Amino acid sequence: MALHSINPTQTKSWAKLNTHFEAIKDAHMKTLFAENPGRADQFTIQWEDFYVDFSKNRINQETMTLFKALAEELKLNDAISKYFEGDIINHTEGRAVLHTALRAPKDANVLVDGANVIPEIHQVKSLIKNFSEAVINGTKKGYTNKAFTDVVNIGIGGSDLGPAMVVDSLAFYGNHLTPHFVSNVDGDHVNEVLKTLNPETTLFVIVSKTFTTQETLSNATTIREWFLNHGKQEDVAKHFVAVSTNTAKVEAFGIESSNIFPMWDWVGGRFSLWSAVGLSISLAVGYDNFESLLDGAHKMDTHFKEEEFETNIPTILAFLSIWYNNFFKAESEAVIPYTQYLNQFATYLQQAIMESNGKSIDRSGTDVNYQTGNLVWGEPGTNSQHAFFQLIHQGTKLIPADFIGFTQSLHGNNDHQDKLISNFFAQTEALLNGKTEAEVIAEGTAKEIIPFKVFEGNKPTNTIFIKQLTPESLGKLIAMYEHKIFVQGVVWNVFSYDQFGVELGKQLATKILQEINTGAIANHDTSTSNLLKHYKKNR
Ligand code: F6P
């Protein structure tokens, strides 16, 4: 059964939220805290090793009550059941959306076209386990009988960003294998990586759900040619494996069927790191850690599916995001992890969030008349404090931000950790309180400088405070954002699991490449024609 199609702005709760918004929009959070000593406790959810404080938001209890009423009017619970049960909620592609099944336990029962997919998933997990263990312990060797030292993931979009982000985030848990990621069709990317590699000890994992993606096939072809300058054709099987749904195309590329790790069309590319797309994760940190990542995600799935609205972390985060996007008209939101390990987290989220909810047609096929999607961006703190935080503190734009921190560091350097966490707390406190004119004057500031030093404050933040960055807690964190995306798509009444907008540019690039190759330049707008001529003259 498909998801319902309800224009959220036509609901009674939306109208009530509009009235409520007018009443609360100018309230300062400082006042809300002063009026309600229990506010922090009231708006904090403690679940497992997560402490999620959303009290520094421009909300009160009435806002929460109206969010819940909106969720009910939009039949969110029904949508959640359909999501987990494998209904065809990716209507425009005629598919289920079942990344959650990839982390479900062995005894689960999830039906696609009447067949339980769980046994198949666990079979592929065994393949991942056996293969990665053989590579890591050196029983699987390269063509000159040497153990592998390097693993190169060749893929783009969801076939790159998820595994690359997780491998980077879990670097602390890494083994002796050095992971690399080649994604861009820019030849300088692949060549820069290749120059560091020894063909005798490098394993290549080609990841492409469709196995038709220009970037991935070009990089895989270039890498195979480079490899064949060293090894022989029969050695390819020892060094190249693939992850794909398209077995025929992988075999046509020259990879043996025994070297293909299957995936399924009911897993979206940007949600696929939990499948064999995560093979490079399992190689880089070991299968047990990969399994813990999946377990963490499964715990968050259960939380999301079963928890009441008031204590449901992904749901609350989704509604807060909608509150700022649609009522406060915020243009973007930031994600600031206070750990260098999550350096690639915002980049990963950009695809997950913006490819999913960057839609302007609703589930009835008509134009939406409200904002959807979130522009999401961010960098780890404290570095970002010295980069773009000025604009968040004193700029003209409202930028709600998620602050993600960990109570314990991995290397156990408490001196650094205390400094890091002091900054983590200080920023959300400063964003909340700002600095009044009286405070600036009390510092003895020269009169003409006073206005420049005043901070309005009242900038919303969520604090997601987790015990430690482990494979399991990372799995929970990623799944938390996946479900936030889902809830937002349900509320905005869009189809979150297609990405037709990416296709037009791909088609045009293929056509233009043909024109460059043949010299037969077709009619374009004058700007594109001039650019093509300039390129032909200077290449
Ligand atoms: O960017 C569009 C897209 O289709 C993504 O959704 C996907 O993750 C990426 O291309 C790569 O696709 P594939 O895994 O089929 O190579």
Side-chain angles (χ1 to χ4, degrees):
M1 282 253 298
L3 297 176
H4 293 280
S5 174
I6 306 168
N7 180 337
T9 64
Q10 306 289 304
T11 58
K12 285 197 192 99
S13 323
W14 196 277
K16 286 186 189 159
L17 274 165
N18 259 330
T19 311
H20 171 63
F21 170 71
E22 289 304 322
I24 203 176
K25 68 177 195 232
D26 296 322
H28 201 293
M29 286 190 282
K30 270 196 297 194
T31 317
L32 300 177
F33 271 98
E35 284 170 0
N36 176 6
R39 182 178 171 86
D41 291 332
Q42 186 183 350
F43 296 135
T44 293
I45 303 171
Q46 291 195 58
W47 168 76
E48 297 235 334
D49 48 349
F50 276 47
Y51 182 103
V52 180
D53 178 349
F54 59 99
S55 63
K56 293 188 181 89
N57 277 291
R58 291 164 73 168
I59 57 164
N60 61 17
Q61 188 49 50
E62 191 184 345
T63 330
M64 294 298 293
T65 306
L66 291 173
F67 284 169
K68 187 176 176 183
L70 179 62
E72 279 163 9
E73 256 190 283
L74 297 176
K75 305 187 195 310
L76 177 62
N77 282 340
D78 171 72
I80 294 174
S81 305
K82 287 174 174 160
Y83 173 41
F84 280 93
E85 283 165 14
D87 284 20
I88 309 297
I89 63 166
N90 177 0
H91 168 75
T92 44
E93 295 182 331
R95 293 172 185 164
V97 175
L98 277 177
H99 43 276
T100 51
L102 298 170
R103 53 245 188 168
K106 257 192 177 135
D107 58 359
N109 187 27
V110 182
L111 303 181
V112 174
D113 295 330
N116 184 12
V117 292
I118 300 296
E120 237 182 302
I121 292 170
H122 283 265
Q123 231 173 317
V124 176
K125 280 171 72 176
S126 306
L127 293 180
I128 299 171
K129 178 177 178 358
N130 295 341
F131 182 81
S132 33
E133 284 178 353
V135 174
I136 294 165
N137 68 26
T139 47
K140 186 161 175 55
K141 294 183 167 51
Y143 69 100
T144 55
N145 225 22
K146 290 183 184 154
F148 289 106
T149 55
D150 294 77
V151 177
V152 182
N153 186 95
I154 311 164
I156 196 163
S159 299
D160 165 73
L161 291 164
M165 178 276 289
V166 173
V167 165
D168 204 38
S169 303
L170 298 181
F172 179 79
Y173 303 89
N175 51 36
H176 65 282
L177 295 170
T178 308
H180 308 265
F181 289 84
V182 173
S183 52
N184 201 325
V185 76
D186 175 5
D188 290 343
H189 188 188
V190 59
N191 283 303
E192 201 56 44
V193 172
L194 285 178
K195 82 181 190 197
T196 65
L197 297 173
N198 176 357
E200 293 173 48
T201 57
T202 305
L203 177 73
F204 297 99
V205 184
I206 311 173
V207 186
S208 177
K209 182 177 165 184
T210 56
F211 223 77
T212 57
T213 306
Q214 184 198 51
E215 291 91 334
T216 304
L217 294 189
S218 303
N219 283 325
T221 305
T222 300
I223 289 175
R224 189 181 50 190
E225 277 165 16
W226 170 86
F227 178 81
L228 289 172
N229 288 333
H230 308 272
K232 296 197 210 61
Q233 185 60 45
E234 64 259 32
D235 301 327
V236 168
K238 289 198 165 131
H239 288 257
F240 287 77
V241 298
V243 180
S244 185
T245 55
N246 195 340
T247 321
K249 282 238 187 292
V250 181
E251 284 179 15
F253 181 84
I255 291 184
E256 290 173 11
S257 57
S258 57
N259 280 344
I260 304 175
F261 292 81
M263 60 183 292
W264 305 274
D265 69 359
W266 38 261
V267 180
R270 52 193 174 273
F271 304 104
S272 63
L273 67 91
W274 322 98
S275 70
V277 169
L279 183 60
S280 51
I281 302 172
S282 181
L283 287 161
V285 298
Y287 182 79
D288 289 348
N289 283 322
F290 181 62
E291 183 83 45
S292 300
L293 180 84
L294 268 56
D295 286 348
H298 177 66
K299 285 186 179 161
M300 182 55 82
D301 295 344
T302 309
H303 166 86
F304 175 57
K305 202 162 49 164
E306 294 177 357
E307 199 68 43
E308 290 302 316
F309 184 93
E310 291 79 2
T311 41
N312 194 310
I313 300 169
T315 304
I316 301 282
L317 294 180
F319 276 82
L320 288 168
S321 174
I322 290 164
W323 182 231
Y324 296 114
N325 189 67
N326 294 83
F327 293 87
F328 283 86
K329 312 289 181 213
E331 291 159 24
S332 72
E333 59 191 39
V335 176
I336 317 290
Y338 273 67
T339 166
Q340 197 56 32
Y341 287 115
L342 291 187
N343 194 26
Q344 295 192 41
F345 196 59
T347 311
Y348 161 78
L349 284 180
Q350 282 175 336
Q351 187 204 15
I353 294 173
M354 290 156 82
E355 204 166 83
S356 298
N357 286 331
K359 311 286 164 64
S360 51
I361 302 295
D362 71 14
R363 290 199 290 268
S364 301
T366 49
D367 287 353
V368 298
N369 59 355
Y370 46 86
Q371 288 290 320
T372 68
N374 300 101
L375 276 167
V376 62
W377 54 284
E379 284 288 326
T382 58
N383 297 26
S384 49
Q385 292 175 199
H386 301 270
F388 52 74
F389 265 53
Q390 167 62 33
L391 190 144
I392 302 184
H393 282 291
Q394 282 190 310
T396 54
K397 294 176 172 59
L398 180 71
I399 303 171
D402 286 353
F403 278 66
I404 302 167
F406 296 87
T407 55
Q408 294 171 7
S409 78
L410 292 177
H411 285 276
N413 186 326
N414 285 335
D415 171 49
H416 279 262
Q417 179 68 3
D418 291 346
K419 287 173 184 157
L420 178 74
I421 295 303
S422 304
N423 277 278
F424 178 62
F425 296 156
Q427 289 299 326
T428 59
E429 190 175 27
L431 287 164
L432 159 67
N433 289 323
K435 200 175 196 181
T436 62
E437 193 178 50
E439 286 167 326
V440 178
I441 292 169
E443 284 174 353
T445 309
K447 196 161 178 265
E448 67 277 15
I449 302 298
I450 292 169
F452 304 101
K453 291 199 165 184
V454 172
F455 291 47
E456 183 201 358
N458 215 15
K459 308 282 193 274
T461 57
N462 296 308
T463 298
I464 299 152
F465 209 13
I466 304 167
K467 190 170 174 206
Q468 199 175 45
L469 178 57
T470 61
E472 187 185 299
S473 66
L474 182 65
K476 290 173 181 163
L477 185 69
I478 300 169
M480 180 190 88
Y481 279 103
E482 288 180 341
H483 300 321
K484 177 184 169 190
I485 292 166
F486 169 79
V487 173
Q488 290 188 275
V490 170
V491 173
W492 285 325
N493 199 25
V494 295
F495 287 117
S496 302
Y497 299 98
D498 60 26
Q499 57 286 314
F500 298 118
V502 192
E503 297 307 318
L504 176 63
K506 282 191 198 170
Q507 286 159 9
L508 284 181
T510 310
K511 202 168 139 269
I512 291 174
L513 178 62
Q514 226 170 19
E515 293 171 23
I516 291 172
N517 286 339
T518 60
I521 307 290
N523 266 346
H524 292 275
D525 59 88
T526 49
S527 161
T528 309
S529 295
N530 283 352
L531 288 165
L532 266 159
K533 279 183 213 146
H534 181 79
Y535 178 63
K536 287 219 67 140
K537 213 163 85 189
N538 293 290
R539 81 191 275 261

